[in-house]
Amino acid sequence: MTDEQKSFDALEERLNARKTEYETMPVPDAAYQAVQSGIRQAARKRKSRMRWYMSSISAAALILLFTGCIRVSPAFASFVEQLPGMEGIVSMIRQDKGLMMAIDKSLLQQVGVTDEHDGASLTVEGIITDESRMVIFYTMKGMKDSEKFNYDIDLLDENGKDLPVAFSYASPKPASDKNVYEDMIDVIFTDGALPPEELSVVFKSRDTASAEEWKLTFPVDKNLTKGMKKVIPVNQTLTVDGQRIDVKQATLYPTRLVLDVNFDPKNTKKVFGLSDLQLVDEQGRAWRTDTSTGGDERSIYFESMYFSIPKKLTLQGSGFSGLDKKDLNLSLDLKSRQITGGPPGLKMVGSKVEGNDLIIDFSVAGSMQGGFVLSFENVKDSEGKSYEIPGTSWSSGEGTDDSHTIVSSTIENGAKLKGELKMNISTYPMKIKSPFSLEIPVNP
């Protein structure tokens, strides 16, 4: 056995050890839906900055499933060697076939920029970016409460302005080195936004007493993926439980595939999302989806098969989450807890004030598992003043009744609200089973 092979085998052992650690993380059923709810909420706020946050538990949800053992190619081994101590992050992204193929094709830009003060340091190790997505790998060393991640993140362009993007991040995980934590920031470019010429990643402590800040600025090498966008026209229509869905095109990037669809405005139901959606090739390999953004015109994101384009591709799903459009609007009397309109079975069960905010508890029949959580938009009081709902949480059971879920919606600056509220439902955990499939034309 050569020294190079021994090195690969040793690396593979370390990666599989980290893989086992992540596989044994406890992941509540609600965690994945928390991520999805945040993503959809961010998408609805496109006029302002779009971002969503995830707890450390949601980070485990992002990992999803590992399949088979970790195989180490020379390019993959080189990636790990370039980013010392990043085996945990490698294990996290290993389940993303498209992202790992992009790494194997040497599309990783090494950065290695560090900001250090008061014995604490933050390093951006590297990035992968194209016109659709950017993944930023970073490590933290000696920073306070790294595991609790008491920090906010800003992404700024070369002019110091906020990037008009959606991005997610989680509480980082301990690396093999003592007091070192590692994770990644996953960025979606929407509404024509593109990677900047120069990027600043800013970490700000949420501790108001310290106001500590770490800022890392570096150029973005867009030439690594320049001209690598491929557009595949589809122009076919799906009918799922009587609802028309126009599949317009698929755009293939090194980091992901973007499927553009349009939900017919004449549909009788509001479709929140398609269930169990995947792309399956002629070998039976499934390319999963993780997020989607938009309203009736929507972009759905899949793993990329850019470097392994199949001969045949089929879009498959088991149905959708949706609600009759007539049930989307409701009025809520805060005093009597009476709901007028809305879906059958929705009840208000209580409320409380926390600081300047009002938290309203709703009872929803069924489980949030594998579906969409109840969320609202266009909340207005009796005088027509609008309010934002920045957060939603939920727990199973109404008292001893496990057939219901309690959903708590926070109305920002709503502590003094009284009387009647008008609200529109933006997502709801109603599933419609109606399996479907559609052949996607592929040019081998």
Side-chain angles (χ1 to χ4, degrees), residues 79 96 117 134 160 177 185 206 227 293 313 322-323 346 352 371-372 439:
F79 164 72
D96 189 324
H117 50 85
M134 176 187 290
D177 296 333
I185 305 166
R206 295 176 189 155
T293 60
L313 204 56
L323 197 63
L346 178 64
K352 62 181 178 181
F372 281 64
E439 296 295 323

PDB file of all heavy atoms in Angstrom, residues 79 96 117 134 160 177 185 206 227 293 313 322-323 346 352 371-372 439:
ATOM      1  N   PHE A  79      -9.324  18.767  -0.793  1.00  0.00           N
ATOM      2  CA  PHE A  79     -10.225  19.747  -0.183  1.00  0.00           C
ATOM      3  C   PHE A  79     -10.087  19.741   1.329  1.00  0.00           C
ATOM      4  O   PHE A  79      -9.959  20.788   1.966  1.00  0.00           O
ATOM      5  CB  PHE A  79     -11.670  19.416  -0.588  1.00  0.00           C
ATOM      6  CG  PHE A  79     -12.718  20.095   0.250  1.00  0.00           C
ATOM      7  CD1 PHE A  79     -12.949  21.453   0.144  1.00  0.00           C
ATOM      8  CD2 PHE A  79     -13.492  19.359   1.134  1.00  0.00           C
ATOM      9  CE1 PHE A  79     -13.918  22.077   0.912  1.00  0.00           C
ATOM     10  CE2 PHE A  79     -14.459  19.967   1.897  1.00  0.00           C
ATOM     11  CZ  PHE A  79     -14.678  21.337   1.788  1.00  0.00           C
ATOM     12  N   ASP A  96     -24.830  15.846  -0.083  1.00  0.00           N
ATOM     13  CA  ASP A  96     -25.214  16.649  -1.243  1.00  0.00           C
ATOM     14  C   ASP A  96     -24.339  16.233  -2.418  1.00  0.00           C
ATOM     15  O   ASP A  96     -23.218  16.696  -2.589  1.00  0.00           O
ATOM     16  CB  ASP A  96     -25.029  18.135  -0.913  1.00  0.00           C
ATOM     17  CG  ASP A  96     -25.608  19.044  -1.995  1.00  0.00           C
ATOM     18  OD1 ASP A  96     -25.516  18.686  -3.185  1.00  0.00           O
ATOM     19  OD2 ASP A  96     -26.143  20.110  -1.644  1.00  0.00           O
ATOM     20  N   HIS A 117      -8.893  38.837  17.459  1.00  0.00           N
ATOM     21  CA  HIS A 117      -8.648  39.818  18.513  1.00  0.00           C
ATOM     22  C   HIS A 117      -9.107  39.255  19.848  1.00  0.00           C
ATOM     23  O   HIS A 117     -10.026  38.440  19.917  1.00  0.00           O
ATOM     24  CB  HIS A 117      -9.332  41.165  18.220  1.00  0.00           C
ATOM     25  CG  HIS A 117     -10.772  41.078  17.859  1.00  0.00           C
ATOM     26  ND1 HIS A 117     -11.781  41.035  18.788  1.00  0.00           N
ATOM     27  CD2 HIS A 117     -11.377  41.038  16.645  1.00  0.00           C
ATOM     28  CE1 HIS A 117     -12.949  40.990  18.175  1.00  0.00           C
ATOM     29  NE2 HIS A 117     -12.733  40.977  16.862  1.00  0.00           N
ATOM     30  N   MET A 134     -24.104  30.109  -3.053  1.00  0.00           N
ATOM     31  CA  MET A 134     -22.755  30.209  -2.500  1.00  0.00           C
ATOM     32  C   MET A 134     -22.745  29.479  -1.161  1.00  0.00           C
ATOM     33  O   MET A 134     -23.651  29.653  -0.343  1.00  0.00           O
ATOM     34  CB  MET A 134     -22.334  31.661  -2.292  1.00  0.00           C
ATOM     35  CG  MET A 134     -20.954  31.809  -1.628  1.00  0.00           C
ATOM     36  SD  MET A 134     -20.542  33.531  -1.201  1.00  0.00           S
ATOM     37  CE  MET A 134     -20.310  34.230  -2.838  1.00  0.00           C
ATOM     38  N   GLY A 160     -20.101  47.646   0.819  1.00  0.00           N
ATOM     39  CA  GLY A 160     -20.519  47.619   2.217  1.00  0.00           C
ATOM     40  C   GLY A 160     -22.017  47.509   2.415  1.00  0.00           C
ATOM     41  O   GLY A 160     -22.517  47.700   3.527  1.00  0.00           O
ATOM     42  N   ASP A 177     -10.144  19.584  16.815  1.00  0.00           N
ATOM     43  CA  ASP A 177      -9.242  20.398  17.630  1.00  0.00           C
ATOM     44  C   ASP A 177     -10.008  21.046  18.774  1.00  0.00           C
ATOM     45  O   ASP A 177     -11.154  21.472  18.611  1.00  0.00           O
ATOM     46  CB  ASP A 177      -8.584  21.484  16.787  1.00  0.00           C
ATOM     47  CG  ASP A 177      -7.693  20.918  15.703  1.00  0.00           C
ATOM     48  OD1 ASP A 177      -7.183  19.802  15.909  1.00  0.00           O
ATOM     49  OD2 ASP A 177      -7.538  21.568  14.662  1.00  0.00           O
ATOM     50  N   ILE A 185     -22.236  28.630   5.818  1.00  0.00           N
ATOM     51  CA  ILE A 185     -23.343  29.539   5.531  1.00  0.00           C
ATOM     52  C   ILE A 185     -23.806  29.223   4.119  1.00  0.00           C
ATOM     53  O   ILE A 185     -23.004  29.220   3.183  1.00  0.00           O
ATOM     54  CB  ILE A 185     -22.894  31.009   5.625  1.00  0.00           C
ATOM     55  CG1 ILE A 185     -22.261  31.299   6.991  1.00  0.00           C
ATOM     56  CG2 ILE A 185     -24.078  31.945   5.387  1.00  0.00           C
ATOM     57  CD1 ILE A 185     -21.508  32.618   7.044  1.00  0.00           C
ATOM     58  N   ARG A 206     -24.226  38.910  20.027  1.00  0.00           N
ATOM     59  CA  ARG A 206     -25.530  39.390  20.496  1.00  0.00           C
ATOM     60  C   ARG A 206     -25.472  39.924  21.920  1.00  0.00           C
ATOM     61  O   ARG A 206     -26.480  40.413  22.438  1.00  0.00           O
ATOM     62  CB  ARG A 206     -26.552  38.251  20.409  1.00  0.00           C
ATOM     63  CG  ARG A 206     -26.834  37.810  18.982  1.00  0.00           C
ATOM     64  CD  ARG A 206     -27.767  36.625  18.934  1.00  0.00           C
ATOM     65  NE  ARG A 206     -27.856  36.087  17.583  1.00  0.00           N
ATOM     66  CZ  ARG A 206     -28.180  34.835  17.304  1.00  0.00           C
ATOM     67  NH1 ARG A 206     -28.422  33.993  18.293  1.00  0.00           N
ATOM     68  NH2 ARG A 206     -28.233  34.427  16.057  1.00  0.00           N
ATOM     69  N   GLY A 227     -19.885  30.807 -17.057  1.00  0.00           N
ATOM     70  CA  GLY A 227     -20.401  30.149 -18.255  1.00  0.00           C
ATOM     71  C   GLY A 227     -20.861  28.718 -18.046  1.00  0.00           C
ATOM     72  O   GLY A 227     -21.077  27.987 -19.027  1.00  0.00           O
ATOM     73  N   THR A 293     -38.637  28.850  -3.190  1.00  0.00           N
ATOM     74  CA  THR A 293     -38.975  30.234  -2.897  1.00  0.00           C
ATOM     75  C   THR A 293     -39.967  30.733  -3.933  1.00  0.00           C
ATOM     76  O   THR A 293     -39.969  30.298  -5.077  1.00  0.00           O
ATOM     77  CB  THR A 293     -37.732  31.145  -2.928  1.00  0.00           C
ATOM     78  OG1 THR A 293     -37.132  31.080  -4.232  1.00  0.00           O
ATOM     79  CG2 THR A 293     -36.712  30.718  -1.884  1.00  0.00           C
ATOM     80  N   LEU A 313     -34.743  11.631 -16.886  1.00  0.00           N
ATOM     81  CA  LEU A 313     -35.007  12.262 -15.597  1.00  0.00           C
ATOM     82  C   LEU A 313     -36.516  12.375 -15.398  1.00  0.00           C
ATOM     83  O   LEU A 313     -37.234  12.835 -16.296  1.00  0.00           O
ATOM     84  CB  LEU A 313     -34.363  13.646 -15.550  1.00  0.00           C
ATOM     85  CG  LEU A 313     -34.008  14.254 -14.195  1.00  0.00           C
ATOM     86  CD1 LEU A 313     -33.096  13.327 -13.397  1.00  0.00           C
ATOM     87  CD2 LEU A 313     -33.348  15.611 -14.394  1.00  0.00           C
ATOM     88  N   GLY A 322     -51.648  21.944   0.834  1.00  0.00           N
ATOM     89  CA  GLY A 322     -52.424  23.050   0.296  1.00  0.00           C
ATOM     90  C   GLY A 322     -53.711  23.255   1.058  1.00  0.00           C
ATOM     91  O   GLY A 322     -54.077  22.478   1.953  1.00  0.00           O
ATOM     92  N   LEU A 323     -54.423  24.322   0.708  1.00  0.00           N
ATOM     93  CA  LEU A 323     -55.667  24.684   1.388  1.00  0.00           C
ATOM     94  C   LEU A 323     -56.583  25.364   0.385  1.00  0.00           C
ATOM     95  O   LEU A 323     -56.118  26.085  -0.511  1.00  0.00           O
ATOM     96  CB  LEU A 323     -55.338  25.640   2.540  1.00  0.00           C
ATOM     97  CG  LEU A 323     -56.381  25.859   3.629  1.00  0.00           C
ATOM     98  CD1 LEU A 323     -56.661  24.568   4.382  1.00  0.00           C
ATOM     99  CD2 LEU A 323     -55.888  26.935   4.597  1.00  0.00           C
ATOM    100  N   LEU A 346     -59.484  24.960  13.071  1.00  0.00           N
ATOM    101  CA  LEU A 346     -58.498  25.892  13.607  1.00  0.00           C
ATOM    102  C   LEU A 346     -59.098  26.649  14.783  1.00  0.00           C
ATOM    103  O   LEU A 346     -60.179  27.235  14.675  1.00  0.00           O
ATOM    104  CB  LEU A 346     -58.049  26.871  12.522  1.00  0.00           C
ATOM    105  CG  LEU A 346     -57.048  27.947  12.939  1.00  0.00           C
ATOM    106  CD1 LEU A 346     -55.721  27.315  13.354  1.00  0.00           C
ATOM    107  CD2 LEU A 346     -56.838  28.962  11.813  1.00  0.00           C
ATOM    108  N   LYS A 352     -50.426  35.488  25.201  1.00  0.00           N
ATOM    109  CA  LYS A 352     -49.640  36.089  26.275  1.00  0.00           C
ATOM    110  C   LYS A 352     -48.771  37.192  25.701  1.00  0.00           C
ATOM    111  O   LYS A 352     -48.474  37.208  24.495  1.00  0.00           O
ATOM    112  CB  LYS A 352     -48.782  35.046  26.985  1.00  0.00           C
ATOM    113  CG  LYS A 352     -47.750  34.370  26.106  1.00  0.00           C
ATOM    114  CD  LYS A 352     -46.964  33.323  26.889  1.00  0.00           C
ATOM    115  CE  LYS A 352     -45.960  32.604  25.983  1.00  0.00           C
ATOM    116  NZ  LYS A 352     -45.193  31.561  26.725  1.00  0.00           N
ATOM    117  N   GLY A 371     -44.987  18.013   7.042  1.00  0.00           N
ATOM    118  CA  GLY A 371     -45.857  18.959   6.362  1.00  0.00           C
ATOM    119  C   GLY A 371     -45.449  20.383   6.652  1.00  0.00           C
ATOM    120  O   GLY A 371     -44.352  20.653   7.123  1.00  0.00           O
ATOM    121  N   PHE A 372     -46.347  21.314   6.373  1.00  0.00           N
ATOM    122  CA  PHE A 372     -46.074  22.719   6.585  1.00  0.00           C
ATOM    123  C   PHE A 372     -46.690  23.171   7.900  1.00  0.00           C
ATOM    124  O   PHE A 372     -47.783  22.758   8.261  1.00  0.00           O
ATOM    125  CB  PHE A 372     -46.661  23.547   5.436  1.00  0.00           C
ATOM    126  CG  PHE A 372     -45.825  23.518   4.192  1.00  0.00           C
ATOM    127  CD1 PHE A 372     -45.620  22.341   3.497  1.00  0.00           C
ATOM    128  CD2 PHE A 372     -45.238  24.674   3.714  1.00  0.00           C
ATOM    129  CE1 PHE A 372     -44.857  22.311   2.341  1.00  0.00           C
ATOM    130  CE2 PHE A 372     -44.473  24.659   2.565  1.00  0.00           C
ATOM    131  CZ  PHE A 372     -44.280  23.481   1.873  1.00  0.00           C
ATOM    132  N   GLU A 439     -41.957  13.353 -17.001  1.00  0.00           N
ATOM    133  CA  GLU A 439     -40.659  13.168 -17.648  1.00  0.00           C
ATOM    134  C   GLU A 439     -40.045  14.534 -17.970  1.00  0.00           C
ATOM    135  O   GLU A 439     -40.697  15.394 -18.574  1.00  0.00           O
ATOM    136  CB  GLU A 439     -40.813  12.362 -18.939  1.00  0.00           C
ATOM    137  CG  GLU A 439     -41.311  10.940 -18.726  1.00  0.00           C
ATOM    138  CD  GLU A 439     -40.332  10.078 -17.948  1.00  0.00           C
ATOM    139  OE1 GLU A 439     -39.101  10.247 -18.164  1.00  0.00           O
ATOM    140  OE2 GLU A 439     -40.773   9.255 -17.136  1.00  0.00           O
TER     141      GLU A 439
END
